[in-house]
Amino acid sequence: MSDRPADVPTESVDVAVVGAGGAGLVALHHLALGLLRGPARPSPLRVALVDDVERLAPGPDGERPRDRTWCSWEPAPAAAPAVLRSWRAVEVLAPGARLALDVRPLRYRMLRGEDYYALVDADAARARRSGRLELLRRPGATAVEDGAERVLVRTPGGDLEAAWVLDSRPCAPVRPARTALLQHFRGEVVRTDPAAPPPFEPDRPVLMDFRTPQPPVGLSFGYCLPLDGRTALVEYTEFSPAVLDDAGYARGLAAYRRLLGLRPDPHGRADGDERLVEVVAVDAVEQGAIPMADDVRTSRAGARVRRLGTAGGATRASTGYTFSALQRQGAAVAAALLAGRDPLPPAAYPRRHRWMDALVLRGLAAGALDGPAFFTRLFAANPPDRVLRFLDGATTRREELALMATAPRAAMAGLAVEDGLVRARRRLSAAMSRSVH
């Protein structure tokens, strides 16, 4: 039974985008751009955006949510107008090591959530004005009922009948994870004392700083994205089994502030070291958790339901990186829909990458890999652009063999043998189950 008002008719749409987070909005954006670049249509493409959270339109205060920052080294031309900063070089730091890495021909790009939402809103508005897009809004779906020809999406604001559904809501995997961690973080956009020397190097962001205190399981690092010499996004991140409480993130950020030469206390109280620069304002705070798991996911959730984002396997298991895969999937899905094809998203990463991710994830969770040493060695012993392309799933087999040759061989070999035994037991168990039935 639907919980919609009785007098609200069911609307028919071409596509229902269920979930208006990163994955859903990326798909909508590529649809809008594809419509604008394509030929005229006899009628607009009817798209419904289904979510309780409003990110596209400014709120009563005139602002869009400042809820996340995305970083990527892939070009992602569709998102380029929303890029706030980009860099040709980054730093990776660890105890006793400071790597200055030239990432060319790539660039490290920073996008704020609110800027990307504004870009999607503007491009969708252009597509609507052109008569090629009709965009409906509905609150979050209470049910999605798949069918052979149409999908019924039930919402409190009225039901939808869609030819296709792009669903990015959290869901259970096809096969549960053997190993699971979280990439969880808290970041602050800080401004420092204008009377003090600038503490940040605007042209040298810190990609990973492993000098932070390490957790018992997994790893931690800080990163720093300078907007200018006195303003930066300063973030504390962990790959570990569970999120921290408020005090835990405060401690992590305080420790990292000190490493950057900032007063660790958020209110700037003196702590005996006059060399530290005072933070005079925190302009924004972001916090989140991204699953890192070796589970198996599928983009095909039914006859006419396709999964996007983390739900469809777009999150890299060994790092939590997602944005580049969202852009690749969004572009492919939009192109298929506009060509009248099945919008099944392509696999976000090659199967061999998922296997390597599973080994690294298991090593971090079990303590078989020293996480800071592993990632620092990877960057120190390989061309930086190769490492970054690998993290995005864009390397060749030959490049991957070169990367693997710089990993700790004994640890990785042990993890590979253990993984092989687990897979063999799983296949044997499945074969015995089939023979019984």
Side-chain angles (χ1 to χ4, degrees), residues 17 22-38 45 47 75-80 116 119-120 123-124 127 133 166 308 323-338:
V17 179
L25 293 184
V26 167
L28 173 63
H29 191 211
H30 281 280
L31 278 171
L33 292 175
L35 289 167
L36 287 167
R37 294 166 183 157
L45 185 76
V47 179
Y116 186 64
L119 175 65
V120 176
D123 286 337
L133 172 68
L166 305 177
L308 299 178
F323 185 73
S324 294
L326 294 186
Q327 292 290 332
R328 292 194 297 269
Q329 287 191 336
V333 164
L337 281 167
L338 296 178

Side-chain angles (χ1 to χ4, degrees), residues 152-386:
L152 184 62
V153 180
R154 299 194 181 276
T155 87
D159 293 348
L160 300 164
E161 197 176 69
W164 294 101
V165 165
L166 305 177
D167 192 346
S168 58
R169 297 172 301 166
C171 65
V174 174
R175 190 183 74 205
R178 177 174 174 240
T179 308
L181 297 175
L182 292 171
Q183 186 217 89
H184 54 103
F185 56 87
R186 178 183 289 179
E188 299 175 336
V189 177
V190 301
R191 281 187 285 127
T192 61
D193 184 357
F200 307 120
E201 295 183 55
D203 295 327
R204 191 60 61 89
V206 177
L207 179 66
M208 291 178 166
D209 189 338
F210 295 111
R211 297 174 298 165
T212 51
Q214 295 300 308
V217 176
L219 61 83
S220 78
F221 60 91
Y223 72 88
C224 177
L225 304 182
L227 306 182
D228 56 49
R230 291 188 172 88
T231 311
L233 171 63
V234 175
E235 196 142 307
Y236 175 77
T237 301
E238 285 192 8
F239 297 175
S240 61
V243 298
L244 305 178
D245 59 15
D246 187 71
Y249 288 116
R251 285 192 300 271
L253 271 172
Y256 190 47
R257 280 189 180 200
R258 177 179 282 278
L259 289 169
L260 293 174
L262 309 178
R263 290 196 190 281
D265 186 273
H267 303 291
R269 288 194 293 267
D271 61 358
D273 191 338
E274 297 302 322
R275 296 170 299 176
L276 299 178
V277 176
E278 181 179 349
V279 172
V280 297
V282 175
D283 292 336
V285 177
E286 61 181 39
Q287 183 170 323
I290 301 169
M292 301 168 60
D294 60 357
D295 52 17
V296 174
R297 295 185 172 272
T298 180
S299 296
R300 189 186 300 275
R304 291 191 163 266
V305 179
R306 303 293 177 256
R307 295 205 186 278
L308 299 178
T310 297
T315 297
R316 190 79 197 243
S318 61
T319 60
Y321 293 153
T322 308
F323 185 73
S324 294
L326 294 186
Q327 292 290 332
R328 292 194 297 269
Q329 287 191 336
V333 164
L337 281 167
L338 296 178
R341 303 193 308 270
D342 182 341
L344 182 69
Y349 307 102
R351 180 175 295 182
R352 65 186 186 275
H353 284 210
R354 298 199 298 272
W355 174 72
M356 288 184 278
D357 280 349
L359 298 187
V360 172
L361 188 66
R362 182 63 182 166
L364 294 175
L369 283 179
D370 178 331
F374 173 78
F375 283 105
T376 304
R377 171 70 176 164
L378 208 60
F379 280 104
N382 294 279
D385 71 294
R386 179 186 296 165

